[in-house]
Amino acid sequence: MPIVQFAPFSSLVQPSFWHELTNIKIDVLQLSDAAIPITGSYSVGRSVTDRESGKEIALGCNLSIGSESFDKEAKTVPGSITTSGTFKNYNTIEEFKAADKTTLFNEEVTKIWDHIIATRDTSCLNNFLIITFADLKKYKYYYWFAFPAFVSKPAWEISDDWQSASKEFSAELLIKIHDQLKSRPATLPFFLVREDASIAPVEEFSAFFASTPPSSRTIAFIDPSPNPSNPGWPLRNLLAYLRILYPQSTSSVRVLCWRDAEIPPASSWKSRFGVVEVRSAPPNNDERPSAVGWEKNPQGKLGPRLADLAPMMDPTRLADQAVDLNLKLMRWRILPSLDLDKISATKCLLLGAGRNTGMLCGTNLNGMGCQNDNPLFEFEDCLEGGKPKAECAAAHLKKIFPGINSSGISLSIPMPGHPIPPSEVAKTKTDVKKLEALIDEHDAVFLLMDSRESRWLPTVIGAAKGKIVINAALGFDTYLVMRHGARASAVPCNGARLGCYYCNDIVAPSDSLTDRTLDQMCTVTRPGLAPIAASTAVELLASLLQHPEGLHAPAPRVNQNSASHSEEDGGSVLGVVPHQLRGFLAQFRNVPIVGAAYDRCTGCSEIVLREYEKAGFEMMLKAFNDTKYLPKLTGLDALYNEGEEALEKIDWDEEDGGEDF
């Protein structure tokens, strides 16, 4: 009699599986190579009809896995069989190649064997193993499946060739079997059939066949093989299961290979039937039989397969993952507690996108994972009169990273000391409303403008609305990067209030641009200064976002050890969160400074903020038009007068030099 030839499982890996593996590797597994459980599925074997020849073409004996394979709660597709598997991913291609595949395979085989002996359950008969290495830089995935199956010695033989099930069973009986399988909440992978068309799980073998003669007993299984002469791989372990648990009555087995998902027209049933026999003594249950099952590669050799997804990946998604990869790798070893979601969810408003610092802040924010910001220019953008800076900056950021949510807005920011003509009041009011709306919509505001007075309005609005404000200002070879403190009414009890950009001034911001030469109006700076300041500003924001107190994070003590940056010392997971950093490029030196808030500050004092909240645009218009308004409002004018009076009261002792000599 001919030996039964089983159709081996062929892995069918959906692209969604690799996408999900990428996410799990980066966010969950990281450096772990521990085995984790997954699931796969298969259904009845399928074939298609060749339109030219009319012949049936088998599609393969497939076991499929997808993104749902990692989800323990995933629902089974009706009519398909869910199988359990073991997944193990290696960190390097060298580890993947050097893996002890024999040990891994034997462990899986032993698991199946022990489960049969201990529980007499069939749920592990289709267990599989997959080992992988994911090259996440090139989107290449190396993988190797194993579908363990016990080897029968001697082999099973078939007394006659496989034939259509309709030759052994009536159409009425086959329809009843079909209806019973459909009526169950979950499709049975293996089942028993009696002459009356009743079915039962294989686990009920003894009770179900108690009064049924061997010639009327049929063992059936959902067959994933479409090949007329080769039953699917699940039959191997089913026959081994029967020989292990029922050796006296299973030397000859009537087998129904169920392949009909729907009732076929004209009774052209695809299911197959055959009687298989084994000429051997009952097996010894104390000794596990050998097993086979490693899948061959497309070249027909035992070896791994390769899935190259790079050509299939959407370029936008590739860019998105490339940006995130560096940040997520930080969490593997260096900063496990880094909160990337807090960074990526932060919306940043860059005021002054046209300056060097503004352009570079945009790209650094992109690298930090913030996907909501603004900046960059090419030579072509300056031709024919130039393009609007903000729109141009946003467009180029999208070229760098298509997934960024960036928009450019051309806006004039009114300034103290720059009077507004009556004809421009309406437009100025519209610009102010737009600026207020923008600051409302964002979490952090970067002040990157050219002049000192242009920073006043967003400073006031940002303080009133409780926003994070990061300030960066450049000199020729010096720079200042600072964060503004919260308003006085929002500072926690016993908390030290940090100052803003204007807290060190005893004069109000005024016109610094009129009657200036070109080199005084432009920011003339050493080329390397802007990148340093921009990077520092973005890193300061990142550290502040990671601090548990956020906007209210205290500044490190001036005498604090610079090497100490733990959270216990007042820092965040990224280190200390300074108030101000003053850089001196000529000396290659950075100096951290803590500046206290000033109760007469023209930018963040409570009297200014309350007046803004009370009078709104009318208060601003006074500040724009009248250089004496802010000093009078805050009391700086009185302070100045007190100083002048004090100087006048000093009795200066003038001596005639030389008389004592």
Side-chain angles (χ1 to χ4, degrees):
M1 292 189 296
I3 294 175
V4 178
Q5 300 292 330
F6 302 93
F9 267 128
S10 176
S11 62
L12 180 61
V13 186
Q14 305 294 339
S16 62
F17 178 85
W18 303 122
H19 290 298
E20 187 65 20
L21 170 58
T22 300
N23 296 332
I24 290 176
K25 170 64 178 173
I26 294 175
D27 297 328
V28 181
L29 292 178
Q30 299 181 357
L31 291 172
S32 172
D33 61 0
I36 61 174
I38 63 169
T39 59
S41 64
Y42 66 89
S43 58
V44 296
R46 301 181 184 278
S47 59
V48 294
T49 303
D50 189 317
R51 292 182 179 179
E52 295 183 1
S53 64
K55 295 181 179 179
E56 289 287 319
I57 301 175
L59 295 181
C61 184
N62 295 324
L63 186 143
S64 175
I65 60 174
S67 59
E68 71 283 352
S69 296
F70 293 103
D71 185 2
K72 296 179 181 179
E73 306 298 327
K75 296 182 180 180
T76 303
V77 177
S80 66
I81 305 299
T82 298
T83 63
S84 298
T86 300
F87 171 83
K88 188 175 178 65
N89 182 73
Y90 291 91
N91 288 309
T92 66
I93 188 63
E94 290 77 17
E95 290 178 357
F96 176 79
K97 292 178 179 178
D100 189 345
K101 299 171 183 64
T102 300
T103 299
L104 291 171
F105 184 81
N106 286 334
E107 288 175 354
E108 199 64 32
V109 173
T110 301
K111 187 190 302 182
I112 298 172
W113 175 263
D114 292 344
H115 188 81
I116 293 173
I117 301 299
T119 68
R120 306 174 76 88
D121 183 65
T122 61
S123 60
C124 285
L125 294 188
N126 290 324
N127 277 18
F128 64 94
L129 167 70
I130 173 175
I131 60 174
T132 65
F133 165 66
D135 185 345
L136 301 186
K137 285 190 173 182
K138 299 179 180 178
Y139 296 96
K140 292 184 177 182
Y141 303 86
Y142 299 84
Y143 65 101
W144 199 352
F145 274 84
F147 306 101
F150 295 111
V151 175
S152 175
K153 295 181 180 179
W156 287 90
E157 299 175 339
I158 184 165
S159 58
D160 220 346
D161 200 3
W162 296 96
Q163 58 185 355
S164 173
S166 59
K167 293 184 178 180
E168 179 66 21
F169 305 101
S170 66
E172 181 182 359
L173 187 142
L174 291 174
I175 291 173
K176 287 182 179 180
I177 294 174
H178 173 274
D179 291 343
Q180 289 185 74
L181 288 173
K182 284 280 190 180
S183 65
R184 290 181 173 266
T187 305
L188 292 173
F190 310 105
F191 55 98
L192 309 171
V193 182
R194 287 195 303 228
E195 284 186 322
D196 60 357
S198 57
I199 67 173
V202 171
E203 289 84 351
E204 300 177 12
F205 184 92
S206 297
F208 188 74
F209 284 152
S211 57
T212 303
S215 60
S216 299
R217 300 173 180 177
T218 301
I219 310 298
F221 72 104
I222 302 298
D223 189 0
S225 170
N227 195 308
S229 302
N230 304 107
W233 205 244
L235 181 58
R236 292 192 71 144
N237 282 349
L238 175 60
L239 294 174
Y241 170 92
L242 295 172
R243 289 298 288 159
I244 294 166
L245 300 181
Y246 311 103
Q248 303 302 326
S249 56
T250 55
S251 58
S252 178
V253 180
R254 289 162 46 87
V255 178
L256 172 61
C257 307
W258 189 260
R259 300 180 180 179
D260 292 283
E262 302 293 339
I263 297 175
S267 297
S268 55
W269 295 86
K270 295 181 180 180
S271 297
R272 310 294 289 174
F273 175 81
V275 179
V276 298
E277 301 177 6
V278 62
R279 301 176 184 179
S280 66
N284 179 10
N285 289 358
D286 296 330
E287 182 179 348
R288 174 178 67 77
S290 60
V292 295
W294 283 108
E295 184 181 25
K296 294 181 179 180
N297 60 24
Q299 290 73 40
K301 299 179 180 180
L302 287 176
R305 299 183 175 215
L306 170 64
D308 185 0
L309 263 63
M312 301 170 56
M313 295 289 283
D314 176 23
T316 301
R317 183 164 182 174
L318 281 174
D320 189 6
Q321 293 183 356
V323 168
D324 288 343
L325 183 60
N326 177 60
L327 297 170
K328 291 185 176 181
L329 291 180
M330 291 180 187
R331 299 178 60 184
W332 286 20
R333 299 180 199 264
I334 305 170
L335 297 171
S337 57
L338 182 65
D339 189 346
L340 296 178
D341 292 336
K342 186 175 288 186
I343 295 175
S344 62
T346 300
K347 295 182 179 179
C348 297
L349 176 63
L350 277 61
L351 299 177
R355 303 182 66 231
N356 286 340
T357 319
M359 294 186 286
L360 294 162
C361 273
T363 52
N364 280 305
L365 284 168
N366 185 9
M368 185 57 71
C370 179
Q371 298 180 6
N372 301 276
D373 57 55
N374 286 347
L376 281 185
F377 302 93
E378 295 176 348
F379 173 71
E380 288 78 4
D381 302 322
C382 303
L383 300 178
E384 299 178 0
K387 300 176 183 178
K389 290 183 177 180
E391 289 89 338
C392 186
H396 283 295
L397 267 184
K398 287 184 179 292
K399 285 185 178 181
I400 295 172
F401 174 40
I404 195 170
N405 179 17
S406 178
S407 60
I409 298 171
S410 295
L411 184 70
S412 295
I413 299 178
M415 301 175 281
H418 295 255
I420 309 297
S423 61
E424 293 291 320
V425 170
K427 179 182 181 300
T428 302
K429 188 174 183 179
T430 301
D431 287 342
V432 170
K433 283 187 177 180
K434 183 62 176 178
L435 181 61
E436 289 175 321
L438 286 170
I439 293 177
D440 261 329
E441 295 166 2
H442 292 78
D443 307 300
V445 182
F446 283 78
L447 306 185
L448 311 168
M449 297 83 89
D450 283 308
S451 66
R452 176 174 173 270
E453 62 266 31
S454 64
R455 302 164 190 257
W456 177 79
L457 183 56
T459 294
V460 173
I461 299 173
K465 297 181 180 297
K467 301 294 183 178
I468 295 173
V469 178
I470 304 293
N471 210 322
L474 303 181
F476 169 65
D477 58 3
T478 61
Y479 70 87
L480 166 68
V481 171
M482 67 177 296
R483 58 184 172 103
H484 290 188
R487 65 184 297 178
S489 60
V491 174
C493 295
N494 302 321
R497 181 168 171 255
L498 300 177
C500 77
Y501 184 64
Y502 298 99
C503 279
N504 288 336
D505 296 338
I506 59 171
V507 294
S510 59
D511 187 357
S512 64
L513 302 177
T514 303
D515 196 24
R516 297 296 178 97
T517 60
L518 181 61
D519 63 319
Q520 293 173 321
M521 289 190 293
C522 297
T523 303
V524 180
T525 180
R526 289 176 60 170
L529 200 67
I532 296 172
S535 300
T536 303
V538 172
E539 290 292 345
L540 178 58
L541 173 65
S543 293
L544 185 63
L545 291 174
Q546 295 299 308
H547 196 284
E549 296 184 48
L551 177 63
H552 303 288
R557 299 183 302 274
V558 176
N559 59 350
Q560 181 173 317
N561 181 2
S562 61
S564 174
H565 60 265
S566 65
E567 294 180 67
E568 291 77 8
D569 295 320
S572 73
V573 296
L574 289 174
V576 297
V577 190
H579 177 219
Q580 301 181 35
L581 280 170
R582 293 185 180 266
F584 303 88
L585 194 56
Q587 303 169 20
F588 289 94
R589 183 166 63 100
N590 287 334
V591 179
I593 296 174
V594 178
Y598 184 33
D599 60 1
R600 298 187 185 187
C601 174
T602 58
C604 69
S605 63
E606 277 298 311
I607 189 170
V608 170
L609 300 183
R610 289 197 184 107
E611 187 64 20
Y612 159 68
E613 292 169 336
K614 176 184 176 182
F617 181 72
E618 295 304 319
M619 173 266 188
M620 299 176 195
L621 195 58
K622 292 177 183 178
F624 304 149
N625 292 335
D626 186 357
T627 56
K628 297 180 180 180
Y629 174 73
L630 288 176
K632 184 177 180 180
L633 176 66
T634 58
L636 283 179
D637 59 345
L639 178 68
Y640 179 79
N641 292 333
E642 290 170 5
E644 289 294 316
E645 291 175 2
L647 288 173
E648 290 177 0
K649 292 179 181 179
I650 296 177
D651 185 15
W652 300 99
D653 186 12
E654 297 183 2
E655 296 181 353
D656 186 11
E659 289 185 356
D660 296 333
F661 297 95

